[in-house]
Amino acid sequence: MKYLIETIGCQMNVCESDALSNMLSNYGMLQVHNIVDADVIILNTCSVRAQAEQKAFSYIGRVEELKKQKPNVKIIVIGCMAERLGIKIRKRFKSVDLVIGSKNINNFALKIVNLCNLAKIDNNILSKKSTEVGRCITIIRGCNNFCSYCVVPFVRGQEVSLDNKIIISECEEMVKSGAKEIMLLGQNVNSYKHGTVDFVSLVRDICKIDGLERLRFMTNHPKNLSDDLINLIATEKKVCHHVHLPMQSGSNKVLKEMNRNYTYEYYLALINKLRSKIADISITTDIIVGFPGETEKDFNNTLKALKDIFFDGLYVFRYSSRPNTRASRMVDDVPLEEKKRRHSIILNESNKISSEIVLSMVGKTFEVLVENFKSNILEGRTGGGRKVFIKSTSKDYVGKVFNVHISESKINSLFGNIV
Ligand code: SAM
Ligand code: SF4
């Protein structure tokens, strides 16, 4: 039986789709990438922004059309939107066969297998056992923070940290099957705590795995980025010098309304601490524009923060009201056109900064883990997460770390030679 998984949303969703795909492949189901080849079409949804939900609705609509020609095709909708709008999805799309919300993640595979009349499979896989160099594993699910704009705590529930022994054994398995880099994922990854094991000790233990070259993690909430963790990033050779630290806004008034529990000054002090301990740290962030009540002055504070901090990269989102959240009871008073304007100003500024940063890397040498080989080009990444392309005729470099001299930059990408 052939299945296709379409994923909407963040890196965590991509990782969960990979894990699900691993479970289904273990059973003998074959993953395809062309929708017309699939017997089972699985859509992994996201509820974080209204746009993501609209995208899912239109995808299901298109798949329904396809099912008219191929009535035996099974349509399965999973993830956050399935959790939040399961009943609505079933009512509106009669041909959807199965809806599984994100709180039932542990039963995903079993339910799919039952629907397809297949035999039992191993339902305990947390990560994808592919042959890829870089893998990911979700170590903590849900979130307790209740930022006023965010639907995650409602659709994913309370924070649950997974058993450290299971995580370690999964990571060992990944390394045995060729992984060189592992990314630990969670909405608030550094609040991980299982019994007496906290995030810092978990990272230390994973780094002991022989054969693992690099470890990354995201997302970090500023209030949980402890001195211990900063020291660990500074001293543990395998931990990449990259921190994704969502700022959301540079205005204290907006941060308070967002219930982020820090001020801009606190955030800036964290950045300074990171940079003083780890000179080559790469810092990326998330920004929301057009939050209720965000004035031009608030927005300018965010823009100034961007210029002052000089982020290595960022994701910027236009605020959209999400049901049940505290902000949904505020007046969504920044007009869409204004949100779009602010969004594009932030994006332009970020691209300018990014081009300056990549240009400043030209002529220098960086450690690069080679992840892929395509059309005589090796693709790799620096510890800071920048993509590097290297001309080569051999794929034997894949999975190894090399010193690469950067000879050229284009927008966000770097080109270089192994030295
Ligand atoms: N847990 C992470 C944190 O707080 O740092 C972020 C996870 S959230 C799924 C990813 C990003 O989506 C957030 O950092 C925020 O910028 C954005 N986001 C969340 N809710 C949003 C909303 N209602 N409108 C626009 N952007 C939103
Ligand atoms: Fe949402 Fe805030 Fe939790 Fe991130 S920390 S998932 S933004 S509630």
Side-chain angles (χ1 to χ4, degrees):
M1 187 161 286
K2 296 177 188 159
Y3 70 97
L4 173 132
I5 303 192
E6 177 73 21
T7 306
I8 297 174
C10 62
Q11 181 66 32
M12 282 186 67
N13 265 21
V14 173
C15 184
E16 279 168 9
S17 289
D18 278 356
L20 176 62
S21 134
N22 186 41
M23 294 174 199
L24 298 178
S25 303
N26 267 9
Y27 176 73
M29 285 178 78
L30 181 71
Q31 185 170 12
V32 292
H33 299 281
N34 192 341
I35 200 160
V36 294
D37 297 330
D39 306 306
V40 181
I41 298 168
I42 304 163
L43 176 64
N44 191 0
T45 58
C46 171
S47 279
V48 171
R49 285 167 293 279
Q51 260 179 331
E53 289 191 346
Q54 283 149 15
K55 203 167 155 189
F57 275 129
S58 67
Y59 186 85
I60 305 170
R62 289 202 303 278
V63 177
E64 270 211 329
E65 283 304 307
L66 185 97
K67 193 164 174 166
K68 285 183 188 153
Q69 273 101 57
K70 276 178 82 178
N72 290 334
V73 163
K74 304 257 186 265
I75 306 176
I76 301 170
V77 183
I78 64 175
C80 290
M81 185 179 145
E83 181 70 44
R84 200 179 86 69
L85 296 174
I87 296 170
K88 193 169 170 188
I89 294 169
R90 282 178 186 284
K91 269 197 185 149
R92 181 163 158 191
F93 301 101
K94 297 280 182 251
S95 53
V96 168
D97 297 274
L98 189 58
V99 178
I100 313 170
S102 45
K103 288 181 185 160
N104 284 321
I105 183 170
N106 292 330
N107 297 323
F108 274 173
L110 208 57
K111 288 185 173 161
I112 292 172
V113 162
N114 286 342
L115 176 78
C116 302
N117 291 325
L118 305 171
K120 201 177 172 305
I121 61 164
D122 181 356
N123 208 26
N124 284 321
I125 294 159
L126 307 169
S127 59
K128 188 180 181 187
K129 287 188 188 64
S130 67
T131 53
E132 283 158 34
V133 171
R135 319 269 179 96
C136 54
I137 176 165
T138 300
I139 62 160
I140 174 166
R141 299 208 168 107
C143 183
N144 295 344
N145 283 328
F146 289 94
C147 299
S148 66
Y149 50 81
C150 186
V151 77
V152 168
F154 300 94
V155 289
R156 296 237 162 201
Q158 292 265 300
E159 266 176 24
V160 180
S161 294
L162 305 185
D163 189 324
N164 55 305
K165 289 190 205 75
I166 296 178
I167 297 171
I168 305 268
S169 99
E170 274 286 312
C171 290
E172 283 169 349
E173 283 298 312
M174 288 193 252
V175 172
K176 263 190 215 150
S177 64
K180 298 290 172 188
E181 176 179 306
I182 294 176
M183 162 110 80
L184 308 179
L185 291 171
Q187 292 297 352
N188 194 4
V189 78
N190 38 32
S191 73
Y192 175 90
K193 184 112 177 116
H194 186 80
T196 55
V197 180
D198 65 4
F199 186 62
V200 169
S201 50
L202 177 73
V203 169
R204 271 212 186 92
D205 286 346
I206 298 175
C207 285
K208 286 181 194 147
I209 299 174
D210 273 344
L212 178 70
E213 296 279 353
R214 283 181 171 180
L215 190 77
R216 296 182 189 275
F217 45 84
M218 70 184 287
T219 294
N220 302 278
H221 193 293
K223 72 178 173 52
N224 293 103
L225 192 68
S226 64
D227 286 353
D228 276 358
L229 183 54
I230 295 176
N231 288 335
L232 183 73
I233 303 171
T235 53
E236 172 52 68
K237 247 190 96 232
K238 292 185 183 178
V239 176
C240 287
H241 287 182
H242 174 206
V243 173
H244 185 68
L245 193 65
M247 179 177 81
Q248 311 298 2
S249 170
S251 152
N252 283 338
K253 183 196 95 191
V254 174
L255 285 172
K256 191 159 191 292
E257 291 292 309
M258 286 177 162
N259 194 31
R260 287 292 287 178
N261 282 308
Y262 54 83
T263 59
Y264 174 64
E265 291 70 28
Y266 172 89
Y267 185 88
L268 189 60
L270 265 185
I271 301 285
N272 291 336
K273 201 186 290 181
L274 277 164
R275 286 188 170 148
S276 71
K277 300 224 170 191
I278 313 154
D280 63 344
I281 189 86
S282 156
I283 301 170
T284 54
T285 200
D286 289 353
I287 302 284
I288 297 178
V289 292
F291 183 80
E294 186 191 67
T295 60
E296 187 67 18
K297 187 172 164 222
D298 296 320
F299 172 70
N300 283 331
N301 283 340
T302 303
L303 189 60
K304 182 171 180 320
L306 234 85
K307 292 178 184 171
D308 289 348
I309 295 175
F310 222 67
F311 288 107
D312 287 81
L314 58 80
Y315 297 103
V316 52
F317 306 104
R318 297 194 308 251
Y319 169 77
S320 60
S321 174
R322 307 309 295 131
N324 301 319
T325 60
R326 181 132 65 82
S328 69
R329 296 189 285 279
M330 301 174 187
V331 185
D332 188 2
D333 55 357
V334 181
L336 181 60
E337 281 314 308
E338 182 56 18
K339 284 181 186 163
K340 285 185 181 166
R341 188 185 74 88
R342 293 180 189 178
H343 183 271
S344 93
I345 291 174
I346 297 285
L347 210 56
N348 285 341
E349 188 57 37
S350 160
N351 287 339
K352 245 167 59 190
I353 294 172
S354 212
S355 314
E356 263 188 63
I357 293 175
V358 288
L359 198 63
S360 74
M361 294 169 82
V362 175
K364 296 182 185 150
T365 298
F366 295 87
E367 276 191 355
V368 171
L369 170 63
V370 178
E371 296 169 348
N372 225 330
F373 176 74
K374 261 190 252 158
S375 325
N376 286 346
I377 300 278
L378 298 169
E379 277 180 34
R381 255 172 225 280
T382 64
R386 293 263 171 215
K387 270 215 162 175
V388 179
F389 298 94
I390 307 153
K391 275 197 188 141
S392 170
T393 48
S394 166
K395 66 174 177 18
D396 295 346
Y397 294 96
V398 175
K400 297 182 184 124
V401 177
F402 296 97
N403 281 325
V404 174
H405 181 259
I406 305 298
S407 53
E408 200 189 341
S409 74
K410 269 187 204 155
I411 313 172
N412 268 329
S413 301
L414 296 161
F415 299 81
N417 310 300
I418 294 173
V419 290

